[in-house]
Amino acid sequence: MKEVLAIRRKLLVANWKMHKNISEAQAFCRRFLPEIEECDRADIAICPPFTLLTAVKGALGSSKVKLGAQNLFWEEKGAYTGEVSPAMLLDAGCEMVIIGHSERRHIFGETDEMINRKVKAALRNKLIPILCVGETLEERKKGQAEEVVKRQLLEGLRELEYDGEIVIAYEPVWAIGTGVNASPDDAQKMSFFIRQILKGIFPEEKVLEMRILYGGSVKPENITGFTGQPDVDGALVGGASLDPDSFAEIVRLSCYA
Ligand code: 13P
């Protein structure tokens, strides 16, 4: 088990959602980068809104922190008002993209089929998709959490023709932005379950390298409970990633978990 863990570097991803302007984003980077300089045992990414991608890329400079987006559209170009293509994200310096976040599913009506098209478009363009899955409180109460997550994985990862890294983020909807995090034990149980499902889709060697993140009310006070679990390989952080000190603390604590 130790060897398997060693091949999966921790990954900490900031999802800024619809927050910050250009000067706030630049100020964040100025403070954040020196704080995580010493931490070379984890990968770090920031996913700002589209309007900040270029500014954040510039502010990150030659640091090891990667840039990601929060969404994309699956077509390459054309009359799709309001949408952003994978090539545009690459052009802005993105290396990864969050797909199927619960806010996209629940507020904007994204279906598993749309999410599958987005995952394929990301992989086709050599962007790392961070596929988000997770059950609502109602589904959990009805004992359907695993069934829902299984469906989201099987549909979201359907018929992939492209190789490349894929990251899964388990984000129970009831834990997002509520201050009520899942217990580390629940996060481990679901991440283990996710890995079993992935083994039915991809070769085992690939699955052992795939990173599964936990997301939902992660903060410095609870991060090590998650990253200390054998199947949890990092976190997708919302609110606590908006503050450079708090996100840096999450990164530092994960490096040594
Ligand atoms: P919070 O960390 O604010 O709960 O958000 C989690 C999330 O949705 C990250 O994608």
Side-chain angles (χ1 to χ4, degrees), residues 2-256:
K2 275 236 152 58
E3 277 161 32
V4 170
L5 284 177
I7 60 170
R8 292 200 300 266
R9 276 167 67 83
K10 294 280 189 283
L11 171 63
L12 288 309
V13 181
N15 175 7
W16 283 357
K17 306 194 181 183
M18 198 171 73
H19 291 285
K20 294 194 192 294
N21 60 28
I22 291 177
S23 59
E24 288 164 346
Q26 289 167 331
F28 176 103
C29 294
R30 275 196 302 276
R31 174 135 190 137
F32 178 69
L33 293 178
E35 290 194 55
I36 50 92
E37 213 170 62
E38 309 275 284
C39 182
D40 52 10
R41 290 171 60 184
D43 294 325
I44 309 163
I46 299 180
C47 302
F50 291 136
T51 53
L52 303 181
L53 287 174
T54 309
V56 171
K57 182 69 188 167
L60 292 177
S62 58
S63 86
K64 58 183 182 261
V65 179
K66 298 176 194 311
L67 185 69
Q70 299 174 17
N71 188 20
L72 87 179
F73 189 53
W74 54 80
E75 293 292 347
E76 299 301 319
K77 59 169 78 161
Y80 302 104
T81 302
E83 295 297 324
V84 175
S85 74
M88 290 170 180
L89 296 185
L90 285 175
D91 193 37
C94 290
E95 292 179 56
M96 48 186 79
V97 55
I98 298 171
I99 295 178
H101 190 279
S102 78
E103 286 144 21
R104 302 290 326 161
R105 293 176 189 264
H106 296 288
I107 305 173
F108 301 100
E110 286 194 11
T111 62
D112 286 322
E113 202 240 322
M114 292 162 75
I115 289 161
N116 177 243
R117 284 178 166 221
K118 292 185 176 198
V119 171
K120 286 176 176 161
L123 290 172
R124 202 162 54 228
N125 287 276
K126 309 246 177 314
L127 284 161
I128 299 171
I130 303 174
L131 172 64
C132 301
V133 297
E135 79 289 355
T136 63
L137 186 57
E138 203 185 340
E139 289 161 343
R140 173 155 285 252
K141 279 185 180 157
K142 285 192 200 149
Q144 297 169 342
E146 290 195 342
E147 187 188 314
V148 168
V149 167
K150 180 176 177 181
R151 189 208 72 228
Q152 290 172 338
L153 287 170
L154 294 179
E155 296 295 317
L157 300 172
R158 207 183 180 90
E159 294 167 0
L160 298 187
E161 294 159 33
Y162 309 94
D163 210 4
E165 185 178 356
I166 300 173
V167 175
I168 307 295
Y170 169 56
E171 297 206 310
V173 181
W174 47 272
I176 296 178
T178 57
V180 183
N181 55 278
S183 69
D185 194 41
D186 280 342
Q188 164 56 26
K189 278 195 190 122
M190 189 59 92
S191 300
F192 179 82
F193 175 74
I194 288 172
R195 213 175 287 287
Q196 300 315 304
I197 301 297
L198 293 174
K199 285 181 187 168
I201 306 176
F202 302 108
E204 176 141 4
E205 319 85 72
K206 179 168 169 100
V207 175
L208 292 178
E209 288 176 1
M210 285 175 78
R211 292 185 282 195
I212 302 175
L213 312 182
Y214 167 76
S217 299
V218 168
K219 40 188 189 271
E221 295 74 29
N222 61 22
I223 182 67
T224 51
F226 297 111
T227 46
Q229 301 297 324
D231 283 290
V232 181
D233 306 307
L236 181 53
V237 188
S241 76
L242 294 172
D243 175 70
D245 297 338
S246 125
F247 190 49
E249 187 65 3
I250 289 171
V251 170
R252 280 195 301 261
L253 289 165
S254 305
C255 280
Y256 302 104

